[in-house]
Amino acid sequence: MKPVRSLARVMLSGIFVVSGARNFQHPQRLVPAARPVTDRVAPLIQRAAPQLPTDAETLIRANAAVQLAAGLMLATGKFTRPAALVLAGTLVPTTAAGHPFWNDDDPAKRNNNQVHFLKNLGLFGGLLLAAADTEGKPGLRWRAGHRIGHSRRSVGRAVRTARREARIAVRSAAAARRLPG
């Protein structure tokens, strides 16, 4: 299954690496489409971190850099689960800004944007699968449950041993009192 996983990750990450590099180099072409989203997000960023820039071009570049870096991590198999989650997060504003088919009056443009919106929705689903993929190893939830079960059994054994030792000690003390002396 390893070759299939590796190939699937490379294929899934390709769009993010290519568009991330392109959008980082030339963000100005996306500014008009991104402005409705960046104008909504900018006040939130200002409140959370006033030192960060909030202009549309810088936000596009930041999103592109994150897509490029996380795409490369996914493609190379490094930190694949967090990388997939990060890519899924970057896909949300990209899709909302780039393919708002609900705003289109022209049927051809609406159809085109709807197709790209659904394509991005499919990519989002693939990224969620990649983020959940444990590569056949036990997941964090299973490992935590297993550790808890193991700890409970260990504590139970320790309690039983302590009770047994206490009974033996009580019997020994009682026997010692009965001995003539």
Side-chain angles (χ1 to χ4, degrees):
M1 193 61 151
K2 178 79 171 154
V4 172
R5 268 191 187 94
S6 297
L7 182 60
R9 286 182 183 144
V10 168
M11 291 167 50
L12 182 58
S13 67
I15 186 72
F16 296 101
V17 172
V18 171
S19 65
R22 183 182 305 136
N23 295 342
F24 187 80
Q25 290 174 334
H26 307 289
Q28 60 281 0
R29 66 184 180 79
L30 299 173
V31 169
R35 192 154 325 272
V37 173
T38 58
D39 289 349
R40 286 186 186 163
V41 173
L44 300 172
I45 295 172
Q46 281 297 95
R47 263 184 273 157
Q51 70 278 13
L52 293 179
T54 56
D55 63 288
E57 190 169 318
T58 303
L59 293 176
I60 292 167
R61 266 208 170 107
N63 193 55
V66 169
Q67 285 184 339
L68 177 61
L72 288 171
M73 286 193 303
L74 185 63
T76 59
K78 305 295 180 203
F79 303 107
T80 56
R81 295 177 73 192
L85 276 178
V86 166
L87 287 172
T90 66
L91 200 54
V92 173
T94 301
T95 303
H99 308 295
F101 66 90
W102 51 89
N103 291 337
D104 293 327
D105 294 328
D106 177 26
K109 190 173 178 185
R110 176 188 275 273
N111 185 50
N112 185 45
N113 273 333
Q114 195 171 32
V115 166
H116 285 290
F117 182 90
L118 292 171
K119 173 212 36 136
N120 283 7
L121 196 60
L123 284 171
F124 190 82
L127 290 168
L128 291 180
L129 283 173
D133 181 26
T134 61
E135 299 184 34
K137 298 173 190 160
L140 187 59
R141 182 178 177 192
W142 183 89
R143 286 185 286 175
H146 184 72
R147 276 273 126 225
I148 290 169
H150 179 73
S151 297
R152 283 184 183 153
R153 288 189 299 276
S154 294
V155 167
R157 281 192 297 270
V159 167
R160 285 190 301 276
T161 301
R163 285 181 183 157
R164 189 177 323 117
E165 295 296 324
R167 283 193 303 271
I168 292 170
V170 167
R171 286 184 199 139
S172 295
R177 281 192 302 258
R178 285 189 295 238
L179 288 176

PDB file of all heavy atoms in Angstrom, residues 18-28 30 60-66 68:
ATOM      1  N   VAL A  18       2.281  23.728  -7.503  1.00  0.00           N
ATOM      2  CA  VAL A  18       2.330  24.539  -8.725  1.00  0.00           C
ATOM      3  C   VAL A  18       1.617  25.871  -8.534  1.00  0.00           C
ATOM      4  O   VAL A  18       2.176  26.934  -8.810  1.00  0.00           O
ATOM      5  CB  VAL A  18       1.727  23.756  -9.923  1.00  0.00           C
ATOM      6  CG1 VAL A  18       1.562  24.647 -11.133  1.00  0.00           C
ATOM      7  CG2 VAL A  18       2.604  22.556 -10.245  1.00  0.00           C
ATOM      8  N   SER A  19       0.372  25.838  -8.044  1.00  0.00           N
ATOM      9  CA  SER A  19      -0.357  27.104  -7.888  1.00  0.00           C
ATOM     10  C   SER A  19       0.234  27.937  -6.758  1.00  0.00           C
ATOM     11  O   SER A  19       0.226  29.174  -6.833  1.00  0.00           O
ATOM     12  CB  SER A  19      -1.852  26.859  -7.668  1.00  0.00           C
ATOM     13  OG  SER A  19      -2.071  26.190  -6.451  1.00  0.00           O
ATOM     14  N   GLY A  20       0.775  27.290  -5.723  1.00  0.00           N
ATOM     15  CA  GLY A  20       1.420  28.045  -4.653  1.00  0.00           C
ATOM     16  C   GLY A  20       2.612  28.822  -5.172  1.00  0.00           C
ATOM     17  O   GLY A  20       2.785  30.005  -4.866  1.00  0.00           O
ATOM     18  N   ALA A  21       3.455  28.180  -5.967  1.00  0.00           N
ATOM     19  CA  ALA A  21       4.623  28.856  -6.544  1.00  0.00           C
ATOM     20  C   ALA A  21       4.184  29.974  -7.483  1.00  0.00           C
ATOM     21  O   ALA A  21       4.721  31.095  -7.430  1.00  0.00           O
ATOM     22  CB  ALA A  21       5.499  27.847  -7.286  1.00  0.00           C
ATOM     23  N   ARG A  22       3.206  29.702  -8.329  1.00  0.00           N
ATOM     24  CA  ARG A  22       2.721  30.703  -9.291  1.00  0.00           C
ATOM     25  C   ARG A  22       2.105  31.903  -8.565  1.00  0.00           C
ATOM     26  O   ARG A  22       2.394  33.059  -8.886  1.00  0.00           O
ATOM     27  CB  ARG A  22       1.696  30.065 -10.224  1.00  0.00           C
ATOM     28  CG  ARG A  22       1.197  31.030 -11.296  1.00  0.00           C
ATOM     29  CD  ARG A  22       0.138  30.416 -12.190  1.00  0.00           C
ATOM     30  NE  ARG A  22       0.622  29.182 -12.793  1.00  0.00           N
ATOM     31  CZ  ARG A  22      -0.091  28.055 -12.881  1.00  0.00           C
ATOM     32  NH1 ARG A  22      -1.313  28.009 -12.397  1.00  0.00           N
ATOM     33  NH2 ARG A  22       0.403  26.986 -13.446  1.00  0.00           N
ATOM     34  N   ASN A  23       1.263  31.630  -7.587  1.00  0.00           N
ATOM     35  CA  ASN A  23       0.579  32.711  -6.888  1.00  0.00           C
ATOM     36  C   ASN A  23       1.517  33.503  -5.985  1.00  0.00           C
ATOM     37  O   ASN A  23       1.295  34.683  -5.740  1.00  0.00           O
ATOM     38  CB  ASN A  23      -0.597  32.169  -6.078  1.00  0.00           C
ATOM     39  CG  ASN A  23      -1.663  31.574  -6.970  1.00  0.00           C
ATOM     40  OD1 ASN A  23      -1.711  31.832  -8.162  1.00  0.00           O
ATOM     41  ND2 ASN A  23      -2.506  30.739  -6.396  1.00  0.00           N
ATOM     42  N   PHE A  24       2.568  32.865  -5.498  1.00  0.00           N
ATOM     43  CA  PHE A  24       3.557  33.596  -4.706  1.00  0.00           C
ATOM     44  C   PHE A  24       4.321  34.586  -5.579  1.00  0.00           C
ATOM     45  O   PHE A  24       4.607  35.699  -5.168  1.00  0.00           O
ATOM     46  CB  PHE A  24       4.531  32.622  -4.029  1.00  0.00           C
ATOM     47  CG  PHE A  24       5.461  33.302  -3.077  1.00  0.00           C
ATOM     48  CD1 PHE A  24       5.032  33.642  -1.804  1.00  0.00           C
ATOM     49  CD2 PHE A  24       6.764  33.628  -3.459  1.00  0.00           C
ATOM     50  CE1 PHE A  24       5.888  34.292  -0.916  1.00  0.00           C
ATOM     51  CE2 PHE A  24       7.615  34.271  -2.580  1.00  0.00           C
ATOM     52  CZ  PHE A  24       7.182  34.607  -1.305  1.00  0.00           C
ATOM     53  N   GLN A  25       4.649  34.162  -6.804  1.00  0.00           N
ATOM     54  CA  GLN A  25       5.403  35.027  -7.717  1.00  0.00           C
ATOM     55  C   GLN A  25       4.540  36.141  -8.301  1.00  0.00           C
ATOM     56  O   GLN A  25       5.033  37.239  -8.537  1.00  0.00           O
ATOM     57  CB  GLN A  25       5.995  34.206  -8.854  1.00  0.00           C
ATOM     58  CG  GLN A  25       7.111  33.293  -8.408  1.00  0.00           C
ATOM     59  CD  GLN A  25       7.582  32.378  -9.535  1.00  0.00           C
ATOM     60  OE1 GLN A  25       6.823  32.068 -10.455  1.00  0.00           O
ATOM     61  NE2 GLN A  25       8.835  31.954  -9.456  1.00  0.00           N
ATOM     62  N   HIS A  26       3.272  35.842  -8.548  1.00  0.00           N
ATOM     63  CA  HIS A  26       2.402  36.816  -9.228  1.00  0.00           C
ATOM     64  C   HIS A  26       1.058  36.947  -8.497  1.00  0.00           C
ATOM     65  O   HIS A  26       0.009  36.582  -9.055  1.00  0.00           O
ATOM     66  CB  HIS A  26       2.157  36.389 -10.677  1.00  0.00           C
ATOM     67  CG  HIS A  26       3.413  36.122 -11.439  1.00  0.00           C
ATOM     68  ND1 HIS A  26       4.276  37.117 -11.840  1.00  0.00           N
ATOM     69  CD2 HIS A  26       3.972  34.957 -11.859  1.00  0.00           C
ATOM     70  CE1 HIS A  26       5.303  36.588 -12.462  1.00  0.00           C
ATOM     71  NE2 HIS A  26       5.149  35.270 -12.490  1.00  0.00           N
ATOM     72  N   PRO A  27       1.049  37.483  -7.286  1.00  0.00           N
ATOM     73  CA  PRO A  27      -0.208  37.570  -6.535  1.00  0.00           C
ATOM     74  C   PRO A  27      -1.155  38.643  -7.062  1.00  0.00           C
ATOM     75  O   PRO A  27      -2.378  38.548  -6.868  1.00  0.00           O
ATOM     76  CB  PRO A  27       0.251  37.908  -5.114  1.00  0.00           C
ATOM     77  CG  PRO A  27       1.538  38.636  -5.311  1.00  0.00           C
ATOM     78  CD  PRO A  27       2.173  37.992  -6.520  1.00  0.00           C
ATOM     79  N   GLN A  28      -0.630  39.642  -7.750  1.00  0.00           N
ATOM     80  CA  GLN A  28      -1.447  40.779  -8.180  1.00  0.00           C
ATOM     81  C   GLN A  28      -2.596  40.373  -9.104  1.00  0.00           C
ATOM     82  O   GLN A  28      -3.659  40.989  -9.083  1.00  0.00           O
ATOM     83  CB  GLN A  28      -0.594  41.886  -8.806  1.00  0.00           C
ATOM     84  CG  GLN A  28       0.204  41.493 -10.035  1.00  0.00           C
ATOM     85  CD  GLN A  28       1.484  40.728  -9.755  1.00  0.00           C
ATOM     86  OE1 GLN A  28       1.840  40.444  -8.608  1.00  0.00           O
ATOM     87  NE2 GLN A  28       2.184  40.356 -10.823  1.00  0.00           N
ATOM     88  N   LEU A  30      -4.535  37.954  -8.731  1.00  0.00           N
ATOM     89  CA  LEU A  30      -5.626  37.391  -7.936  1.00  0.00           C
ATOM     90  C   LEU A  30      -6.291  38.421  -7.014  1.00  0.00           C
ATOM     91  O   LEU A  30      -7.318  38.124  -6.405  1.00  0.00           O
ATOM     92  CB  LEU A  30      -5.107  36.231  -7.082  1.00  0.00           C
ATOM     93  CG  LEU A  30      -4.522  35.054  -7.845  1.00  0.00           C
ATOM     94  CD1 LEU A  30      -3.889  34.067  -6.881  1.00  0.00           C
ATOM     95  CD2 LEU A  30      -5.592  34.379  -8.679  1.00  0.00           C
ATOM     96  N   ILE A  60      -2.470  36.951  -0.091  1.00  0.00           N
ATOM     97  CA  ILE A  60      -2.394  35.972  -1.185  1.00  0.00           C
ATOM     98  C   ILE A  60      -1.016  35.307  -1.181  1.00  0.00           C
ATOM     99  O   ILE A  60      -0.907  34.082  -1.310  1.00  0.00           O
ATOM    100  CB  ILE A  60      -2.682  36.640  -2.547  1.00  0.00           C
ATOM    101  CG1 ILE A  60      -4.150  37.066  -2.620  1.00  0.00           C
ATOM    102  CG2 ILE A  60      -2.315  35.714  -3.708  1.00  0.00           C
ATOM    103  CD1 ILE A  60      -4.470  38.008  -3.768  1.00  0.00           C
ATOM    104  N   ARG A  61       0.028  36.122  -1.015  1.00  0.00           N
ATOM    105  CA  ARG A  61       1.394  35.574  -0.974  1.00  0.00           C
ATOM    106  C   ARG A  61       1.576  34.618   0.205  1.00  0.00           C
ATOM    107  O   ARG A  61       2.205  33.562   0.067  1.00  0.00           O
ATOM    108  CB  ARG A  61       2.409  36.705  -0.852  1.00  0.00           C
ATOM    109  CG  ARG A  61       2.942  37.140  -2.148  1.00  0.00           C
ATOM    110  CD  ARG A  61       4.348  37.719  -1.999  1.00  0.00           C
ATOM    111  NE  ARG A  61       4.856  37.876  -3.331  1.00  0.00           N
ATOM    112  CZ  ARG A  61       4.998  39.038  -3.944  1.00  0.00           C
ATOM    113  NH1 ARG A  61       4.718  40.147  -3.324  1.00  0.00           N
ATOM    114  NH2 ARG A  61       5.443  39.083  -5.177  1.00  0.00           N
ATOM    115  N   ALA A  62       1.032  34.996   1.358  1.00  0.00           N
ATOM    116  CA  ALA A  62       1.159  34.139   2.545  1.00  0.00           C
ATOM    117  C   ALA A  62       0.443  32.808   2.315  1.00  0.00           C
ATOM    118  O   ALA A  62       0.990  31.739   2.619  1.00  0.00           O
ATOM    119  CB  ALA A  62       0.579  34.849   3.764  1.00  0.00           C
ATOM    120  N   ASN A  63      -0.761  32.865   1.777  1.00  0.00           N
ATOM    121  CA  ASN A  63      -1.511  31.646   1.482  1.00  0.00           C
ATOM    122  C   ASN A  63      -0.760  30.787   0.468  1.00  0.00           C
ATOM    123  O   ASN A  63      -0.672  29.561   0.621  1.00  0.00           O
ATOM    124  CB  ASN A  63      -2.913  32.002   0.970  1.00  0.00           C
ATOM    125  CG  ASN A  63      -3.844  30.817   0.948  1.00  0.00           C
ATOM    126  OD1 ASN A  63      -4.035  30.145   1.953  1.00  0.00           O
ATOM    127  ND2 ASN A  63      -4.426  30.557  -0.210  1.00  0.00           N
ATOM    128  N   ALA A  64      -0.178  31.421  -0.527  1.00  0.00           N
ATOM    129  CA  ALA A  64       0.575  30.697  -1.555  1.00  0.00           C
ATOM    130  C   ALA A  64       1.819  30.038  -0.959  1.00  0.00           C
ATOM    131  O   ALA A  64       2.143  28.889  -1.294  1.00  0.00           O
ATOM    132  CB  ALA A  64       0.963  31.650  -2.683  1.00  0.00           C
ATOM    133  N   ALA A  65       2.512  30.755  -0.084  1.00  0.00           N
ATOM    134  CA  ALA A  65       3.717  30.195   0.542  1.00  0.00           C
ATOM    135  C   ALA A  65       3.367  28.985   1.404  1.00  0.00           C
ATOM    136  O   ALA A  65       4.067  27.967   1.390  1.00  0.00           O
ATOM    137  CB  ALA A  65       4.414  31.261   1.385  1.00  0.00           C
ATOM    138  N   VAL A  66       2.260  29.084   2.125  1.00  0.00           N
ATOM    139  CA  VAL A  66       1.820  27.967   2.962  1.00  0.00           C
ATOM    140  C   VAL A  66       1.435  26.783   2.075  1.00  0.00           C
ATOM    141  O   VAL A  66       1.793  25.637   2.367  1.00  0.00           O
ATOM    142  CB  VAL A  66       0.649  28.395   3.876  1.00  0.00           C
ATOM    143  CG1 VAL A  66       0.013  27.200   4.552  1.00  0.00           C
ATOM    144  CG2 VAL A  66       1.135  29.391   4.919  1.00  0.00           C
ATOM    145  N   LEU A  68       2.559  26.095  -0.923  1.00  0.00           N
ATOM    146  CA  LEU A  68       3.790  25.548  -1.507  1.00  0.00           C
ATOM    147  C   LEU A  68       4.526  24.680  -0.490  1.00  0.00           C
ATOM    148  O   LEU A  68       4.889  23.529  -0.779  1.00  0.00           O
ATOM    149  CB  LEU A  68       4.691  26.685  -2.000  1.00  0.00           C
ATOM    150  CG  LEU A  68       6.054  26.292  -2.567  1.00  0.00           C
ATOM    151  CD1 LEU A  68       5.904  25.386  -3.780  1.00  0.00           C
ATOM    152  CD2 LEU A  68       6.846  27.529  -2.930  1.00  0.00           C
TER     153      LEU A  68
END
